Amino acid sequence: MANVTVIGAQWGDEGKGKIVDWLASRADAVVRFQGGHNAGHTLVIDGTTYKLSLLPSGIVSGTLSVIGNGVVLDPWALKSEIEKIEGQGVKVTADNLAVADNCPLILPIHRDLDGLREAAAGSGKIGTTGRGIGPAYEDKVGRRAIRVCDLAHLGALEPQLDRLCAHHDALRAGFDQPPVDREALLQELREIADFVLQYAQPVWKRLKKVRKAGAKILFEGAQGVLLDIDHGTYPFVTSSNTVSGTAAAGSGLGPNATGYVLGIVKAYTTRVGSGPFPTELGDEIGKGLGERGHEFGTVTGRQRRVGWFDAVIVRQSCAISGVTGIALTKIDVLDGLDEVKICTGYRLRGQVFDHFPSHAADQAAVEPIYETMEGWKESTAGARSFADLPANAVKYIQRVQELIETPVALVSTSPERDDTILMRDPFMD
């Protein structure tokens, strides 16, 4: 049986939470390997909605859930999220949650800096969630980070604080802000330390043991490939690598452990925040898709921008991330339309492109080339077999997989876990 790595193949918000939860019920461990609490996953199980930002989706089903070293961890957000889902009846203990002891921490000063920068950026705003993700990754790479393991050695933290504050004090001065209050920061860390440390461990070692026992591991990515720091629509991207290859570095297991790569793809396209979006719809059709799809960010509540399916960017994402098969979600949102469109290429200054160019100005200037297909009036909501789908919906799915050059493994027909059509089993492939 294969391990499975799940990544978003668009700009995030593709419905990874439901798919990961469905797969987690058949896995022995679920691992978050990048991002922070800027990622939002919504799970609907037996009518109960769970909104997760930091915790792996497997936590709801009781599966061993691991926060890997590639994640930047806000310890206060972790505590808040655990308390919230425990209030919904989910039990979280050191037996079913493990946090990498070498995870970098997101600190209050990171949130401060994130907000100050966005407020001062004017037309250069990137549209971050303001949760300190980017500044925390900067400190990690700049070797200034305070990590989970440091919470057990706060009395020896002075040299690290010197490096950290020398950097942040200079930045804060540029925004007319006072220096970092070191004692207040230390006190906040003292107060949260024991809570976080109860889950802390070298997770690479635990995962090695799980793998050696022949258990199935599910690697859960956050955001989407088009928000990847290298391969996304730079600079309107997140601060980590979101591609499948990050699962190895972000968990402490080698690349041969990541297994089947499942790309989550929405049957249309959405995006939150700033940045290019070739197929964006500003008309009543776009408004209708957004309303039927409940297109609001899980974390920020921001309304998502909505557009037709873009086969060019999905094909590119699948190639970059080595996607084995896709899970097509929210097909039911397209129900009732007279026609549906798929972007098959771009025009840019008289030339036809079969890929998304790298420069932001070119990305903003491309014009989509559409293929129009007949829609379907019948409902796909709740379908659990391919035979239950309308003929035109089947044609749409088949055309999507032709254009993205990647087979469809799963089709999701509602937010409910069991409303899923299985065409290829990632754990058995």
Side-chain angles (χ1 to χ4, degrees):
M1 291 187 183
N3 294 332
V4 177
T5 299
V6 174
I7 54 99
Q10 292 159 308
W11 278 291
D13 306 311
E14 301 95 350
K16 292 186 292 297
K18 179 245 175 103
I19 299 298
V20 169
D21 172 64
W22 187 83
L23 290 167
S25 65
R26 303 164 64 233
D28 301 291
V30 181
V31 185
R32 271 285 308 274
F33 57 84
Q34 49 76 220
H37 64 306
N38 55 342
H41 291 169
T42 300
L43 317 180
V44 181
I45 303 170
D46 297 328
T48 301
T49 300
Y50 303 90
K51 293 191 175 183
L52 306 178
S53 297
L54 187 56
L55 292 168
S57 297
I59 198 74
V60 176
S61 58
T63 306
L64 171 62
S65 297
V66 175
I67 296 176
N69 57 276
V71 173
V72 283
L73 182 85
D74 184 320
W76 299 277
L78 176 68
K79 187 173 187 291
S80 175
E81 194 168 320
I82 288 174
E83 289 172 347
K84 183 177 180 180
I85 67 164
E86 284 185 332
Q88 293 182 279
V90 178
K91 190 175 182 180
V92 181
T93 70
D95 291 327
N96 65 356
L97 177 64
V99 176
D101 56 3
N102 53 342
C103 257
L105 297 179
I106 299 174
L107 304 172
I109 57 175
H110 295 131
R111 295 194 297 270
D112 292 346
L113 183 58
D114 211 352
L116 290 167
R117 283 174 169 169
E118 279 290 276
S123 62
K125 281 186 179 179
I126 293 172
T128 76
T129 59
R131 299 193 169 208
I133 311 295
Y137 271 118
E138 289 175 38
D139 281 345
K140 173 185 177 178
V141 175
R143 294 163 291 184
R144 296 179 293 270
I146 295 173
R147 304 186 297 170
V148 168
C149 55
D150 293 317
L151 295 175
H153 303 276
L154 291 176
L157 205 59
E158 288 300 321
Q160 285 161 271
L161 281 175
D162 287 343
R163 290 196 299 275
L164 185 69
C165 292
H167 178 74
H168 280 266
D169 285 349
L171 293 173
R172 291 168 69 91
F175 291 107
D176 293 322
Q177 297 297 307
V180 174
D181 187 334
R182 292 171 60 141
E183 186 50 44
L185 176 58
L186 271 171
Q187 183 57 32
E188 289 185 274
L189 292 172
R190 291 186 195 106
E191 291 171 359
I192 200 70
D194 288 343
F195 180 86
V196 177
L197 288 171
Q198 67 181 308
Y199 306 109
Q201 57 186 274
V203 299
W204 66 268
K205 189 174 181 181
R206 187 162 182 180
L207 288 171
K208 180 183 177 183
K209 185 177 180 180
V210 169
R211 189 183 179 207
K212 192 173 182 180
K216 299 187 291 292
I217 301 173
L218 178 63
F219 297 91
E220 177 184 6
Q223 291 93 32
V225 173
L226 292 167
L227 293 175
D228 185 277
I229 189 69
D230 288 311
H231 301 287
T233 50
Y234 193 92
F236 304 101
V237 293
T238 192
S239 298
S240 60
N241 286 110
T242 60
V243 293
S244 61
T246 312
S251 67
L253 287 178
N256 62 343
T258 53
Y260 187 106
V261 179
L262 182 67
I264 313 300
V265 178
K266 197 176 284 185
Y268 48 102
T269 311
T270 61
R271 176 164 202 171
V272 173
S274 305
F277 187 172
T279 66
E280 184 172 10
L281 293 168
D283 57 12
E284 288 301 309
I285 293 176
K287 183 180 178 182
L289 291 175
E291 290 173 352
R292 289 198 297 277
H294 305 291
E295 295 299 349
F296 295 90
T298 302
V299 172
T300 63
R302 289 184 291 182
Q303 186 169 357
R304 296 175 186 140
R305 300 155 63 191
V306 179
W308 291 119
F309 185 84
D310 190 332
V312 181
I313 59 173
V314 175
R315 181 172 63 240
Q316 188 164 321
S317 293
C318 288
I320 289 167
S321 218
V323 172
T324 316
I326 70 162
L328 191 68
T329 67
K330 291 198 169 185
I331 186 74
D332 54 302
V333 176
L334 298 179
D335 292 353
L337 293 175
D338 293 326
E339 61 182 28
V340 289
K341 294 184 179 183
I342 300 176
C343 174
T344 60
Y346 305 126
R347 285 192 182 88
L348 177 64
R349 292 187 286 275
Q351 289 185 288
V352 173
F353 279 65
D354 64 355
H355 68 280
F356 206 28
S358 296
H359 197 278
D362 291 338
Q363 292 174 350
V366 298
E367 297 178 10
I369 300 170
Y370 285 119
E371 178 178 305
T372 301
M373 300 183 67
E374 188 178 348
W376 54 93
K377 297 299 182 182
E378 309 94 323
S379 174
T380 63
R384 297 185 180 182
S385 75
F386 217 55
D388 294 334
L389 296 175
N392 284 344
V394 171
K395 290 177 183 177
Y396 182 79
I397 293 167
Q398 290 173 336
R399 185 57 177 148
V400 163
Q401 67 180 357
E402 288 172 4
L403 289 168
I404 67 173
E405 300 173 1
T406 307
V408 176
L410 303 167
V411 179
S412 171
T413 58
S414 95
E416 290 287 346
R417 175 194 284 176
D418 294 331
D419 290 342
T420 303
I421 300 170
L422 178 64
M423 299 168 67
R424 292 175 176 82
D425 189 339
F427 278 122
M428 299 300 295
D429 202 304

